[in-house]
Amino acid sequence: MPDADIIVAGAGMVGCYIAKKLSDRGYSVTLLEKSKAMKEDSGIVSKRFFRHVPKKFAMHRIDRMQFVSPSKKTFSLKGRTFAWVVSRHEVNSHLRKQCKENTSYERILSVNTGKNGAEVKTDENTYSCRLIVGCDGTFSTVRRQLGGKDPRIFFGMLTRTKMQKGSVQVHLNKHYSPDFFGWIIPQTGEWGIMSGTNAKEHFDYFGQKENLEKGEVHGYPIPMGLVQTSYERAMIVGEAAGQTKPLTGGGYVLGLECARHAIKTADLCMQQGNFGREFIVSSYDRWRMQFAGEIKLQLLARKIYRRMTNKQIDKIFDILGPHAERVEVKDYDLLSKTFMQMPKTAIIKAGLQAIF
Ligand SMILES: Cc1cc2nc3c(=O)[nH]c(=O)nc-3n(C[C@H](O)[C@H](O)[C@H](O)COP(=O)(O)OP(=O)(O)OC[C@H]3O[C@@H](n4cnc5c(N)ncnc54)[C@H](O)[C@@H]3O)c2cc1C
């Protein structure tokens, strides 16, 4: 007899969510987590988040986001509450509490899968199971042990301090971040940057130039890009699977929405006793229909942005800024839809400006 039907690796938001739902369905689930500490992040989510987590965790509404160019030109994206700020710590604590009975604090060291079952070795035990769900974050041991490639890895750094009220700001400036942006969230007194290189230097420079005070500083990797997510007897979900939005780095909603596909697939595998890779792909990889197109578009936008200069960014603010002020953000997860509301001539002009 295996030690558990299903082993879930990693008690971040996605792992806890999956472990709870599968255990509610009557499966024996073991959730393995290496650390009692929990991550800090900005906690900005779209309304889809509340399909999975109670609305009581929403702390602030966002109906306006101001974009700031290198020479301080601005435009704002607006819409009827298109995002919320939730307390990441409270949500993860709530989810971890729900899985308390199933959780064991052990670090996963290796994973083996085969026709007859799967085996997970930790720093304390060896477990056998029928299915593994790897939700163990950016440097996922499960993904690497199964031979999966790493997605591209960026870094995010943030801090919180006292701040005057105002709207969320997104600073697009190559000196703050060559491939991403700096942000200020007055509602939570948070500021930070995301970058593919020298994150610490960019973070310090952003704070210095924008006169921002520093509290305790937190930094974490953020994965991006499409990787293999289905294997024989295993699925990879959340950050471990690169299920983040390349334009914002946000991963809650994608992770939880993809978790729904993983839960359904686990159920099918258990009911039909089929744990083959093809069978898992045919069900779990449906998450790609929902998000892969948007991820690809956002990756392309990010690739173009990486090659742009501050001068080009300023010019694009001139071209798109007035149109951006007039559109309404309807779907914070599918931002390309907001972009496509702008006149085609302006989009083409901005595209040419970005490329040449
Ligand atoms: C600075 C920053 C700001 C962000 N802001 C936002 C935001 O505003 N909105 C948003 O939607 N997303 C945001 N994100 C992204 C968000 O944090 C992630 O997408 C989300 O946490 C993914 O959850 P997860 O459960 O997949 O992974 P994680 O939360 O990373 O959980 C993985 C878990 O696996 C555990 N683990 C790892 N290795 C092992 C092992 N070998 N054995 C056992 N356990 C292991 C880890 O300890 C961890 O608990 C931000 C990220 C950063 C870095």
Side-chain angles (χ1 to χ4, degrees):
M1 280 286 281
D3 295 313
D5 288 329
I6 302 160
I7 286 188
V8 179
M13 202 169 301
V14 174
C16 290
Y17 180 78
I18 292 176
K20 169 81 172 85
K21 295 277 176 198
L22 287 174
S23 128
D24 285 350
R25 288 179 189 216
Y27 301 116
S28 74
V29 177
T30 300
L31 176 59
L32 297 172
E33 167 57 51
K34 69 173 180 188
S35 167
K36 292 213 161 145
M38 278 178 273
K39 196 164 151 184
E40 287 290 336
D41 62 29
S42 311
I44 297 184
V45 296
S46 70
K47 64 173 179 232
R48 282 189 185 84
F49 183 75
F50 304 110
R51 287 181 189 172
H52 313 284
V53 175
K55 192 96 186 246
K56 66 175 181 187
F57 292 108
M59 296 192 297
H60 306 283
R61 292 163 173 269
I62 299 180
D63 45 27
R64 183 189 161 93
M65 231 177 229
Q66 187 182 49
F67 289 75
V68 186
S69 84
S71 66
K72 303 289 180 207
K73 294 173 188 199
T74 60
F75 69 79
S76 293
L77 282 180
K78 295 176 265 234
R80 205 189 312 146
T81 309
F82 55 84
W84 286 259
V85 186
V86 296
S87 163
R88 166 6 134 180
H89 197 81
E90 278 180 33
V91 174
N92 209 161
S93 301
H94 163 78
L95 292 171
R96 277 200 184 181
K97 239 182 242 162
Q98 287 190 323
C99 302
K100 215 167 125 197
E101 306 298 315
N102 305 72
T103 310
S104 191
Y105 284 93
E106 298 171 42
R107 179 188 287 269
I108 296 168
L109 301 177
S110 71
V111 164
N112 260 305
T113 56
K115 278 216 160 41
N116 299 323
E119 189 185 76
V120 176
K121 278 194 183 145
T122 71
D123 47 4
E124 291 184 26
N125 289 300
T126 300
Y127 295 90
S128 62
C129 64
R130 302 175 77 193
L131 183 71
I132 301 171
V133 188
C135 310
D136 48 345
T138 306
F139 300 114
S140 171
T141 305
V142 175
R143 181 187 70 231
R144 288 178 168 181
Q145 285 283 309
L146 293 171
K149 284 198 184 128
D150 284 353
R152 270 206 75 183
I153 294 169
F154 296 85
F155 286 90
M157 289 185 73
L158 61 83
T159 185
R160 292 194 189 106
T161 175
K162 279 206 175 111
M163 232 177 240
Q164 283 192 341
K165 283 191 177 144
S167 56
V168 173
Q169 287 180 16
V170 179
H171 289 254
L172 299 172
N173 181 326
K174 293 278 158 164
H175 299 310
Y176 294 165
S177 171
D179 32 24
F180 273 90
F181 49 80
W183 70 85
I184 301 175
I185 308 174
Q187 290 89 334
T188 50
E190 181 188 300
W191 63 272
I193 62 111
M194 239 162 87
S195 176
T197 49
N198 303 328
K200 167 90 174 64
E201 281 94 80
H202 293 305
F203 176 78
D204 288 342
Y205 189 71
F206 178 47
Q208 189 193 322
K209 284 289 176 191
E210 298 297 327
N211 282 322
L212 297 161
E213 281 177 31
K214 234 190 253 179
E216 197 182 336
V217 178
H218 305 273
Y220 305 94
I222 304 182
M224 231 157 259
L226 299 164
V227 294
Q228 183 179 335
T229 52
S230 297
Y231 298 83
E232 182 178 32
R233 290 196 183 267
M235 288 177 276
I236 312 291
V237 195
E239 280 212 341
Q243 287 161 343
T244 57
K245 296 181 278 183
L247 276 185
T248 63
Y252 291 169
V253 168
L254 259 68
L256 293 175
E257 289 280 310
C258 294
R260 283 203 314 183
H261 294 279
I263 292 160
K264 203 170 157 199
T265 305
D267 219 0
L268 282 173
C269 289
M270 299 301 290
Q271 280 168 20
Q272 300 190 20
N274 189 344
F275 298 90
R277 180 171 174 262
E278 292 308 313
F279 184 72
I280 292 179
V281 168
S282 70
S283 170
Y284 176 46
D285 277 38
R286 288 193 186 165
W287 74 265
R288 292 179 194 271
M289 285 189 219
Q290 201 180 350
F291 292 116
E294 180 70 17
I295 290 179
K296 280 184 194 160
L297 272 179
Q298 292 197 10
L299 281 172
L300 178 68
R302 187 98 357 262
K303 200 170 165 186
I304 295 170
Y305 181 78
R306 202 174 300 135
R307 288 165 41 186
M308 280 163 58
T309 61
N310 272 348
K311 229 178 176 175
Q312 283 172 307
I313 297 173
D314 269 317
K315 283 198 179 141
I316 285 173
F317 266 64
D318 287 337
I319 300 167
L320 290 184
H323 301 293
E325 290 276 353
R326 286 196 286 272
V327 300
E328 192 189 348
V329 183
K330 291 201 176 117
D331 192 330
Y332 183 63
D333 297 317
L334 308 179
L335 277 175
S336 64
K337 280 193 181 164
T338 302
F339 185 69
M340 293 316 281
Q341 286 176 57
M342 294 187 219
K344 296 246 168 350
T345 46
I347 295 174
I348 292 167
K349 216 168 149 192
L352 291 174
Q353 185 57 246
I355 294 165
F356 302 107

